[in-house]
Amino acid sequence: MLVRVFVLGVDPGLSRCGYAVIEPGRRGRGTARALGVLRTSPELEVPQRLAQLKFDLANLMDEYRPRVLAVERIFFQNNIRTAVGVAQASGLALALGADRGIAVVEYSPTEVKAVVAGDGRADKQQVQTMVQVLLELPTPPRPADAADAAALALCHLAHDPTLGRRPSVIGRGAGGARA
């Protein structure tokens, strides 16, 4: 039985959580099957926002059944309030992936930029442009959170070339297009 393989990239955030479902292709490239941002209202209390984010991420995981979940590794930020929300969203994504038996990996922003753009200090626009090129999209993905999520998935594909060799044979799940 042939099944499709997907990598789910997540750029965690409480207000905006970027996601990208990428089907592996040749030479570290892939096809975007879903790409966007999950949003929560700042008017809601944090527990309700996390519950909404959990619901949305769970739906993505259940629909596409990714083989791998690639999440941005949290690093110290100057704005502690933002850092806490990002850490909460990250922990939620990591736990959901582990709970579903998905292989979970984390990559630092510098590592992702180095792999996707060739420079660990690349700016947001450079990352968006390279994601556009690597996924053969008509325009750079916007907002930047969606591009960052796609870059995470592409970074994992570069680290795990076996996914790109047999994308229609290896994997746990199937899913439809949403991009």
Side-chain angles (χ1 to χ4, degrees):
M1 178 175 160
L2 296 180
V3 291
R4 297 169 82 178
V5 175
F6 298 108
V7 175
L8 172 59
V10 172
D11 181 34
L14 189 55
S15 295
R16 291 182 328 268
C17 182
Y19 69 89
V21 178
I22 306 298
E23 185 173 12
R26 290 177 282 180
R27 298 182 305 260
R29 294 175 183 244
T31 302
R33 296 298 175 198
L35 182 68
V37 174
L38 304 172
R39 298 179 190 273
T40 65
S41 173
E43 295 176 12
L44 296 175
E45 296 294 323
V46 170
Q48 286 74 32
R49 294 174 80 183
L50 288 169
Q52 180 63 50
L53 187 56
K54 178 184 176 193
F55 178 81
D56 292 341
L57 284 171
N59 281 340
L60 278 171
M61 290 178 190
D62 291 345
E63 179 177 352
Y64 291 98
R65 301 192 184 282
R67 181 172 177 199
V68 178
L69 170 64
V71 180
E72 184 173 278
R73 184 177 299 127
I74 302 303
F75 67 98
F76 176 75
Q77 296 180 353
N78 292 330
N79 183 338
I80 192 69
R81 186 173 176 196
T82 300
V84 169
V86 169
Q88 290 170 322
S90 178
L92 183 66
L94 296 171
L96 279 168
D99 187 51
R100 283 168 169 69
I102 300 168
V104 178
V105 294
E106 294 181 272
Y107 296 103
S108 71
T110 302
E111 188 174 12
V112 172
K113 291 173 185 179
V115 168
V116 173
D119 180 356
R121 296 171 300 177
D123 63 29
K124 293 276 187 196
Q125 181 147 0
Q126 288 171 306
V127 171
Q128 286 174 301
T129 299
M130 286 309 301
V131 167
Q132 176 189 4
V133 168
L134 292 170
L135 294 177
E136 298 177 350
L137 300 172
T139 60
R142 287 190 174 47
D145 309 275
D148 290 348
L152 280 154
L154 289 166
C155 179
H156 183 72
L157 290 178
H159 282 87
D160 187 356
T162 61
L163 287 175
R165 287 195 190 121
R166 299 181 317 200
S168 57
V169 178
I170 299 174
R172 292 182 49 204
R178 189 197 271 191

